[in-house]
Amino acid sequence: MRRPTVVGKKKKRRACSGVCLLTALGTIAAVLTVLPFALHLQLPEISLDVSLPAGVGNVPPVRSRLDMTKRSEDDNDDDIVHIVFSTDCSGYQHWQGIALWYAAQAAGQRGPITRIASGCQKKEQDKITSEWRKIDKTGRFRVHFTSSMKLHGSYKYSNKPGGIKHWLENANPPITESYVCLLDPDMLPLLPITTALGRGLGTKPRHRSEEKQVEFVDSQTGVARILRTSDTMEHMEQEIPSRVALGSPAGQHFGIGGDWATAGSPRARPVWKNFSKSNVCGVNGPCVTTSYEDARNKYAVGPVYLAHVDDWRRIAHAWWSAMPRVHDQYPHLLAEMYALTMATSNLTLPWTLISNYMVSGPGVTSPTEAWSWIDDLTKNSRGNNATVVCDGASLYTLPFVTRNRTAVALPTTLHFCQRYEVAGHLFAKHKIPHDFFRCDGDPMPLNVDALMDGLVGNPSKIVTRKSFMMCHLIPILNLALKSYKRDVCTI
């Protein structure tokens, strides 16, 4: 069969960010004016080019309307989350940003979504600004342009701490939401991102000894809503918080572990043997004495990062300061993630680590992801039926089992950072045309019959999980394309 041209990659993630000057965009007849911006950084070892192209700034809202979805009686404006994600200015991450927006709307996400775009030239800025206004006429889909913040001109992931720091300090329109969530651009929300954690959940967790996980179950519906590792639970000093709050952030539990805390000690792995934590955090900084257990169970965080905006201001400053000091000693992939963990440890700001904020690679065996919930979909009173992960799916619709997204336990986002290949289908994000979102664009093909045939009998977990991703990613992106044509291409 013909392979769908879908998106994927072998590396764990591709996200970047940046730092730039804010310019004010005026009313309809106003011209974009560049405000001079100088980056002041007390880290002499950093050499950054912060020259800004003309027209740097943000897309202002046409009108303010935060709530575009049906609200329940329990909703509170204080719970509205402002999502941000960081990209470069390539077409590769441009289409991902559009997909994220539409997936979030389909999931019922409230609040603004801002793309922090790094290194765009004036012509590129104008094009994005115009397209964003067509996609969303309410002003909830925004863009914040920055200069490139690559360390030493090569490590682009330093754009992330630099970009969010600048956005927090210079956002236009100003940030009015109390909570901010940082995602990677290759994450598609299945569920709305909210501040809720233990609120409304049963006090007795359901233990899953085989996966080394603990579930927190909705006391009314019986559906699991929170998934954590057993190890994390054992090291908790108190029950899971009812919600994200000032001084109490939450994030996706990442498998980066706590090895950095052993740096410089005899037990350190070779890559950490000569790493100096005091060079990052100061001689007497709290991160210098952070234990391996705390590093592993309180600070091993990745996107989804969800925190109060005031905590974000502290985090962003400390993260950006730590970034070059970590990279100088650890010039490898994930340096920016280690910089964040050390920075928040130095602030003594532990995270509530959640395993159900995402699934990514189908081969993941770590309990830090929510693949056990996907495995559960196939189980019923008559045994296993793997076909449910695709049954009912079409070019534009999800399978029957997940159409009511609150009726079953699901991960909050699909992190399509891997290569998914099954039943003649390939989903690899590097193979998606950069102009996927265009007025004459074709939807990605999906042969549900072929996928269903591969799920008959007793397929492996890997095959079932790959099929789940295929039967969700493709309909979500195709529906996004249909919505894009409705918003951008109709007169």
Side-chain angles (χ1 to χ4, degrees):
M1 65 164 285
R2 177 186 169 199
R3 287 185 175 180
T5 307
V6 206
V7 37
K9 66 172 181 177
K10 295 182 179 179
K11 293 185 178 178
K12 279 278 180 181
R13 40 136 226 25
R14 297 266 193 209
C16 42
S17 300
V19 171
C20 91
L21 166 68
L22 171 68
T23 40
L25 285 170
T27 53
I28 296 175
V31 262
L32 294 170
T33 307
V34 180
L35 302 178
F37 169 68
L39 176 66
H40 299 290
L41 198 60
Q42 297 178 351
L43 296 171
E45 66 268 32
I46 306 178
S47 176
L48 297 174
D49 177 11
V50 295
S51 58
L52 297 174
V56 178
N58 300 80
V59 177
V62 178
R63 59 189 176 90
S64 175
R65 189 173 75 178
L66 293 178
D67 186 4
M68 299 293 291
T69 61
K70 184 177 180 180
R71 298 168 62 175
S72 73
E73 294 179 357
D74 294 332
D75 282 339
N76 187 313
D77 282 347
D78 194 41
D79 288 336
I80 294 176
V81 174
H82 192 141
I83 292 176
V84 296
F85 63 96
S86 174
T87 74
D88 56 20
C89 212
S90 67
Y92 166 66
Q93 291 192 320
H94 181 77
W95 75 259
Q96 293 177 41
I98 296 174
L100 190 157
W101 161 259
Y102 281 114
Q105 303 319 294
Q109 184 66 42
R110 301 173 61 207
I113 297 178
T114 296
R115 172 186 177 182
I116 302 173
S118 172
C120 298
Q121 299 302 312
K122 174 63 166 60
K123 184 177 179 180
E124 295 169 316
Q125 294 172 15
D126 291 345
K127 181 179 179 180
I128 295 171
T129 298
S130 174
E131 189 174 19
W132 256 228
R133 284 174 169 162
K134 292 176 182 177
I135 290 172
D136 171 52
K137 297 176 177 60
T138 72
R140 289 174 60 239
F141 194 26
R142 305 171 186 174
V143 59
H144 183 91
F145 295 112
T146 79
S147 293
S148 173
M149 297 300 291
K150 296 179 183 179
L151 287 180
H152 311 303
S154 59
Y155 193 73
K156 63 183 179 180
Y157 301 118
S158 57
N159 284 319
K160 191 182 296 184
I164 194 169
K165 179 177 183 292
H166 185 267
W167 173 74
L168 287 163
E169 295 171 349
N170 300 279
N172 180 31
I175 304 165
T176 59
E177 298 73 35
S178 296
Y179 296 93
V180 172
C181 177
L182 176 63
L183 299 180
D184 278 354
D186 58 352
M187 303 181 91
L188 297 180
L190 271 182
L191 301 171
I193 295 171
T194 73
T195 61
L197 293 174
R199 182 173 58 194
L201 303 185
T203 56
K204 293 183 179 180
R206 181 192 304 164
H207 290 267
R208 307 176 56 99
S209 57
E210 67 275 16
E211 290 97 357
K212 298 182 180 180
Q213 293 173 321
V214 178
E215 291 178 336
F216 291 81
V217 179
D218 189 307
S219 55
Q220 294 183 345
T221 66
V223 177
R225 299 300 183 199
I226 295 290
L227 189 65
R228 306 192 73 195
T229 67
S230 301
D231 287 347
T232 302
M233 294 295 297
E234 291 172 2
H235 288 85
M236 284 180 62
E237 297 174 359
Q238 58 184 8
E239 294 296 326
I240 185 171
S242 64
R243 54 170 287 171
V244 175
L246 181 63
S248 183
Q252 170 62 36
H253 197 167
F254 257 65
I256 58 176
D259 286 343
W260 66 266
T262 67
S265 72
R267 60 181 289 204
R269 293 171 56 194
V271 72
W272 297 108
K273 280 287 186 185
N274 299 315
F275 189 96
S276 171
K277 291 183 289 184
S278 61
N279 284 353
V280 177
C281 304
V283 175
N284 298 314
C287 108
V288 175
T289 56
T290 296
S291 68
Y292 171 85
E293 289 74 18
D294 280 354
R296 185 169 179 260
N297 295 297
K298 296 181 179 180
Y299 299 104
V301 67
V304 177
Y305 302 101
L306 178 56
H308 192 280
V309 67
D310 290 341
D311 283 335
W312 263 118
R313 292 186 173 102
R314 297 173 61 213
I315 292 168
H317 177 80
W319 188 10
W320 177 235
S321 297
M323 182 67 243
R325 302 177 188 273
V326 171
H327 186 262
D328 281 349
Q329 303 180 78
Y330 185 90
H332 309 292
L333 196 65
L334 306 184
E336 83 288 354
M337 295 184 71
Y338 284 115
L340 176 66
T341 62
M342 293 182 203
T344 52
S345 171
N346 215 38
L347 294 172
T348 319
L349 187 63
W351 300 78
T352 298
L353 299 181
I354 303 297
S355 295
N356 60 277
Y357 278 153
M358 76 169 195
V359 290
S360 60
V364 169
T365 58
S366 168
T368 57
E369 292 193 20
W371 281 114
S372 58
W373 283 358
I374 307 307
D375 300 338
D376 283 352
L377 294 176
T378 68
K379 301 173 183 177
N380 57 41
S381 59
R382 293 171 293 178
N384 293 343
N385 180 13
T387 60
V388 299
V389 300
C390 283
D391 189 17
S394 71
L395 286 181
Y396 300 102
T397 58
L398 298 184
F400 296 127
V401 72
T402 54
R403 287 187 191 175
N404 181 349
R405 303 187 192 187
T406 62
V408 292
L410 288 173
T412 305
T413 70
L414 303 179
H415 192 182
F416 56 93
C417 57
Q418 302 292 313
R419 179 186 179 93
Y420 311 92
E421 190 167 7
V422 64
H425 293 69
L426 171 65
F427 191 101
K429 70 181 182 180
H430 285 289
K431 293 185 177 294
I432 286 285
H434 293 179
D435 62 347
F436 174 74
F437 289 101
R438 64 183 192 275
C439 294
D440 61 348
D442 294 323
M444 299 174 187
L446 179 66
N447 187 335
V448 178
D449 289 340
L451 288 160
M452 292 279 285
D453 288 344
L455 292 168
V456 172
N458 188 27
S460 69
K461 281 186 178 181
I462 301 297
V463 168
T464 302
R465 292 173 178 183
K466 286 181 179 179
S467 300
F468 170 87
M469 293 296 276
M470 209 68 70
C471 290
H472 287 76
L473 292 173
I474 293 177
I476 288 172
L477 289 179
N478 284 343
L479 187 59
L481 176 60
K482 180 183 286 189
S483 299
Y484 176 87
K485 291 181 179 181
R486 175 201 66 204
D487 296 334
V488 175
C489 306
T490 57
I491 298 176

